[in-house]
């Protein structure tokens, strides 16, 4: 019995030993499998980020970017250089002459022939941001030079529009006169008065936005033309001082602004300008201005809003998040806490964009397009996508693997996929099977609300008789290549009608935003680690 018991004990001991060995082997196998899975995921993520997959998608975005950049040439005012648009010629050569200034350059903002300084400066700021973050991708497909030239065409104008520290010309042309005419810019004959802001009639919003444009552009040209960059930075600093010292909205100072580009406040522009000046100078006073001094009052912390030519809050929040995510220098705990408020609000904005997030916005069409207003709805779709892809790349660059949205976690690729969904919708993956980027794809708008595009080059029509072309049943004789039109209605229909300004009118700021988005998608690579 003792011997039998000993044998049973020994057998159980051996059984337990083999069990332990088997358990160790199973655990080891699981660890190896998990490691392999992690490696595969990492390789797949790297492959995605380095542009190693879906080469046809990359080409699609590259082709679309080449088209989109041409709209800036369509919109140029002044004596044209290296003109790529055969149906465009010199125009508005006398702008600013009565003031002893050369305001001939710049760009018409949309389908009309007015140069509105507020949205034009925003166009320059966004175009600068796109170049700073994704200039390498632009260069890969030989589009960087075009982007830089378009930016300089605007900043040359903005420099001339700021002849003294507390004076800024913010508009050229009378909108009432202009909207009573339908003519090519090359044939304009009506008077083109200018509007200014100054110490007595302030415009903190437009002055600060122009400061942001100058500061961001100074970074673009820093290595290309250091003296020009320094000149831009000087103007940016002067304009910021002007905007902050003489606070007031240009919409109050100018009744015309209330009708066409009414500003809903200037606090966001002051923060926007300060953030860009901090990046351009590394001067802590600008960061202090945006955080300790004015963050609580103007930062809109905890209350995400939609990014546009008028509301810069979401842009400020993403741009300042960049500092703590991939910034190059250490900051005090107090500054980090205040910057964290910007980052948390930026994250809340991102959570709104993700379609299956607990806080996902309902402001989207049945097929997923962000849709806020019936006038120029694509501005908000593309602006949201541009900020989403920036934040996604900031996450990757800072090794931030997850975004927390009220109980659910998301990856940088979730944000990137959202941005792709918006870009693809714009480029033709929509119920209308139409590209809203004119000149891209097999089907795009043919009746764009755009004077120069709608009138034949050899037409002798003047101011009033040109309306024949507005109401013509024929497609536009000149393709406004690169124009991103207003876009579809909420029910995902599009009336390709020249008289529908909500849907059929393009804008330069739409173009700047789509250029930024497409540049980010060209090669699926990361943002620049540093602007300097």
């Amino acid at each position: 019995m003792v011997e039998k018991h000993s044998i049973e004990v020994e057998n159980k001991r051996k059984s337990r030993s083999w069990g332990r060995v088997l358990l160790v082997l199973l655990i080891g196998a699981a660890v190896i499998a998990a490691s392999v899975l992690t490696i595969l995921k990492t390789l797949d993520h790297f492959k995605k980020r380095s542009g190693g997959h879906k080469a046809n998608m990359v080409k699609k975005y590259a082709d679309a970017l080449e088209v989109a950049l041409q709209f800036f040439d369509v919109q140029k005012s002044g004596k044209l250089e290296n003109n790529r648009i055969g149906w465009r010629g010199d125009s508005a050569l006398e702008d600013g002459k009565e003031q002893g200034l050369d305001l001939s350059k710049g760009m018409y903002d949309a389908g009309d022939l007015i140069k509105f300084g507020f949205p034009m400066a925003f166009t320059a700021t966004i175009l600068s941001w796109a170049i700073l973050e994704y200039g390498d991708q632009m260069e890969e497909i030989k589009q960087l030079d075009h982007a830089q030239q378009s930016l300089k065409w605007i900043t040359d104008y903005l420099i001339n529009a700021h002849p003294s520290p507390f004076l800024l010309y913010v508009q050229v042309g009378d909108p009432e006169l202009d909207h009573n005419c339908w003519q090519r810019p090359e044939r304009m004959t009506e008077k083109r008065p200018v509007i200014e802001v100054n110490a007595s009639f302030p415009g903190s919003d437009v002055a600060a936005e122009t400061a942001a444009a100058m500061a961001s552009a100074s970074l673009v040209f820093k290595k290309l033309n250091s003296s020009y960059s320094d000149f831009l930075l000087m103007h940016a600093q002067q304009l910021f001082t002007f905007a902050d010292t003489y606070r007031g909205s240009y919409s109050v100072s100018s009744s015309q602004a209330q009708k066409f580009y009414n500003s809903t406040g200037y606090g966001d522009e002051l923060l926007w300008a300060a953030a860009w000046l901090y990046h351009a100078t590394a001067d802590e006073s600008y960061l202090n201005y945006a955080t300790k001094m004015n963050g609580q009052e103007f930062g809109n912390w905890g209350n995400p809003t939609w990014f546009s030519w008028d509301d810069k809050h979401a842009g400020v929040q993403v741009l300042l998040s960049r500092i703590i995510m991939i910034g190059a220098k250490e900051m005090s705990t107090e500054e980090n806490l205040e910057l964290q408020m910007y980052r948390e609000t930026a994250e809340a904005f991102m959570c709104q964009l993700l379609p299956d997030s607990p806080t996902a916005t309902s402001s989207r069409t049945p097929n997923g397009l962000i849709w806020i207003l019936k006038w120029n709805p694509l501005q908000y779709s593309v602006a949201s996508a541009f900020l989403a892809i920036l934040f996604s790349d900031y996450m990757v660059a800072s090794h931030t693997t997850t975004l927390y949205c009220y109980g659910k976690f998301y990856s940088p690729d979730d944000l990137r996929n959202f941005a792709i969904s918006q870009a693809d919708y714009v480029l033709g993956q929509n119920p209308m099977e139409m590209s809203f980027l004119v000149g891209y794809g097999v089907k795009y708008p043919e009746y764009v609300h755009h004077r120069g595009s709608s009138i034949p080059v050899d037409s002798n029509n003047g101011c009033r008789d040109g309306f024949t072309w507005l109401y013509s049943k024929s497609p536009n004789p000149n393709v406004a290549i690169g124009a991103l039109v207003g876009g579809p209605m909420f029910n995902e229909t599009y009336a390709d009608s020249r008289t529908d300004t909500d849907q059929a009118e393009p804008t330069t700021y739409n173009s700047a935003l789509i250029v930024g988005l497409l540049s980010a998608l060209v090669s699926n690579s990361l943002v620049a680690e540093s602007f300097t």
Side-chain angles (χ1 to χ4, degrees):
M1 291 291 294
V2 173
E3 183 179 351
K4 183 178 180 181
H5 176 72
S6 298
I7 292 171
E8 288 177 354
V9 169
E10 179 64 16
N11 287 340
K12 287 180 180 180
R13 184 186 67 76
K14 289 181 178 179
S15 177
R16 285 195 299 270
S17 297
W18 280 111
R20 282 195 295 269
V21 171
L22 182 60
L23 180 61
V24 169
L25 290 173
L26 288 172
I27 291 173
V31 169
I32 291 170
S35 300
V36 169
L37 183 61
T38 300
I39 291 169
L40 289 173
K41 285 182 176 180
T42 302
L43 288 172
D44 182 59
H45 184 75
F46 177 77
K47 187 179 180 183
K48 289 179 180 179
R49 288 293 180 176
S50 63
H53 77 312
K54 299 182 181 178
N56 60 324
M57 281 183 62
V58 172
K59 185 179 186 306
K60 172 175 72 174
Y61 300 130
D63 291 345
L65 176 60
E66 183 177 358
V67 169
L69 277 163
Q70 293 182 64
F71 189 61
F72 296 123
D73 294 304
V74 170
Q75 296 303 96
K76 283 180 179 177
S77 166
K79 187 167 184 59
L80 302 184
E81 302 168 7
N82 303 317
N83 182 24
R84 296 195 291 168
I85 309 300
W87 52 270
R88 277 303 323 277
D90 299 343
S91 64
L93 298 179
E94 302 294 310
D95 281 1
K97 187 175 181 179
E98 290 185 12
Q99 291 71 34
L101 300 172
D102 180 6
L103 300 180
S104 62
K105 281 190 174 182
M107 295 183 187
Y108 307 116
D109 78 300
D112 53 22
L113 304 178
I114 304 299
K115 288 186 278 197
F116 292 101
F118 195 27
M120 193 195 306
F122 177 69
T123 297
T125 310
I126 296 302
L127 187 53
S128 293
W129 201 357
I131 294 170
L132 290 168
E133 301 284 22
Y134 302 111
D136 288 346
Q137 288 91 303
M138 293 181 184
E139 190 167 27
E140 283 179 16
I141 59 170
K142 298 179 173 55
Q143 296 303 311
L144 178 59
D145 187 56
H146 293 309
Q148 291 167 338
Q149 287 181 21
S150 296
L151 175 62
K152 191 173 184 295
W153 200 265
I154 298 177
T155 54
D156 284 351
Y157 167 85
L158 295 177
I159 288 170
N160 289 350
H162 181 231
S164 62
F166 297 152
L167 173 62
L168 177 66
Y169 290 97
V170 299
Q171 183 176 305
V172 180
D174 184 327
E176 298 293 344
L177 288 175
D178 179 84
H179 288 188
N180 284 323
C181 291
W182 192 268
Q183 59 190 333
R184 299 180 68 244
E186 294 81 0
R187 293 188 59 82
M188 281 190 294
T189 56
E190 71 273 14
K191 290 185 177 181
R192 290 179 60 80
V194 298
I195 292 176
E196 67 181 68
V197 293
N198 51 47
S200 300
F201 296 94
S204 297
D205 28 30
V206 65
E209 180 59 65
T210 308
M214 301 280 214
S216 56
S218 75
L219 287 165
V220 172
F221 295 108
K222 191 171 184 178
K223 293 180 180 178
L224 294 171
N225 187 336
S226 61
S227 60
Y228 186 72
S229 172
D230 292 343
F231 198 45
L232 286 169
L233 187 56
M234 179 199 73
H235 279 279
Q237 291 172 314
Q238 287 183 354
L239 282 163
F240 179 75
T241 300
F242 172 35
D244 189 42
T245 303
Y246 298 99
R247 290 190 179 186
S249 174
Y250 95 119
S251 300
V252 175
S253 297
S254 168
S255 59
Q256 282 191 352
Q258 295 173 13
K259 294 181 181 178
F260 296 96
Y261 280 101
N262 183 47
S263 172
T264 55
Y266 56 78
D268 54 329
E269 278 84 24
L270 289 172
L271 297 176
W272 182 235
W276 277 112
L277 279 163
Y278 172 72
H279 280 93
T281 65
D283 185 336
E284 293 283 343
S285 67
Y286 291 117
L287 183 62
N288 185 56
Y289 182 97
T291 53
K292 291 181 183 179
M293 293 175 61
N294 297 285
Q296 182 127 13
E297 182 179 2
F298 296 139
N300 227 24
W301 294 340
N303 182 32
T305 54
W306 298 105
F307 189 45
S308 71
W309 62 264
D310 178 41
D311 191 337
K312 317 299 162 42
H313 285 106
V316 173
Q317 289 147 11
V318 171
L319 183 60
L320 290 180
S321 296
R322 189 188 205 281
I323 297 172
I324 51 177
M325 295 176 80
I326 56 176
K329 61 187 297 184
E330 294 295 326
M331 297 182 183
S332 70
T333 303
E334 189 175 2
E335 284 177 333
N336 268 317
L337 288 173
E338 288 164 337
L339 283 173
Q340 189 63 33
M341 294 301 297
Y342 282 107
R343 178 175 176 175
E344 288 177 6
T345 310
E347 290 176 343
F349 179 73
M350 298 302 149
C351 290
Q352 285 188 169
L353 301 179
L354 294 167
D356 62 344
S357 163
T359 57
T361 181
S362 59
S363 298
R364 66 182 87 224
T365 67
N367 283 277
L369 181 75
I370 294 293
W371 199 97
I372 309 302
L373 295 174
K374 72 171 188 173
W375 179 75
N376 193 15
L378 285 181
Q379 175 189 192
Y380 300 95
S381 317
V382 177
S384 299
F386 179 52
L387 292 185
I389 206 161
L390 282 169
F391 201 84
S392 169
D393 285 345
Y394 294 169
M395 288 178 68
V396 174
S398 61
H399 307 290
T400 304
T401 57
T402 56
L403 170 69
Y404 179 73
C405 297
Y406 294 87
K408 293 189 72 173
F409 292 92
Y410 297 90
S411 71
D413 280 339
D414 291 320
L415 282 174
R416 193 173 191 87
N417 289 335
F418 161 77
I420 288 171
S421 74
Q422 303 300 291
D424 286 350
Y425 191 108
V426 168
L427 297 180
Q429 290 184 24
N430 53 61
M432 295 138 286
E433 297 182 343
M434 168 184 279
S435 163
F436 295 105
L437 182 65
V438 176
Y440 178 82
V442 296
K443 180 183 177 184
Y444 49 79
E446 296 182 306
Y447 296 81
V448 181
H449 182 90
H450 189 277
R451 285 159 173 75
S453 173
S454 67
I455 304 174
V457 174
D458 58 358
S459 170
N460 292 319
N461 292 107
C463 168
R464 297 294 300 174
D465 56 348
F467 279 103
T468 302
W469 300 106
L470 171 63
Y471 300 111
S472 168
K473 300 299 183 183
S474 300
N476 287 9
N478 310 310
V479 178
I481 188 165
L484 180 61
V485 296
M489 297 299 285
F490 185 73
N491 64 359
E492 298 184 304
T493 60
Y494 180 81
D496 192 7
S497 169
R498 202 177 291 118
T499 59
D500 190 334
T501 55
D502 289 344
Q503 295 188 271
E505 187 168 19
T507 64
T508 54
Y509 41 94
N510 278 14
S511 293
L513 290 162
I514 192 70
V515 162
L517 175 58
L518 294 171
S519 298
L521 294 174
V522 164
S523 65
N524 292 331
S525 58
L526 297 178
V527 297
E529 290 190 9
S530 173
F531 287 154
T532 56

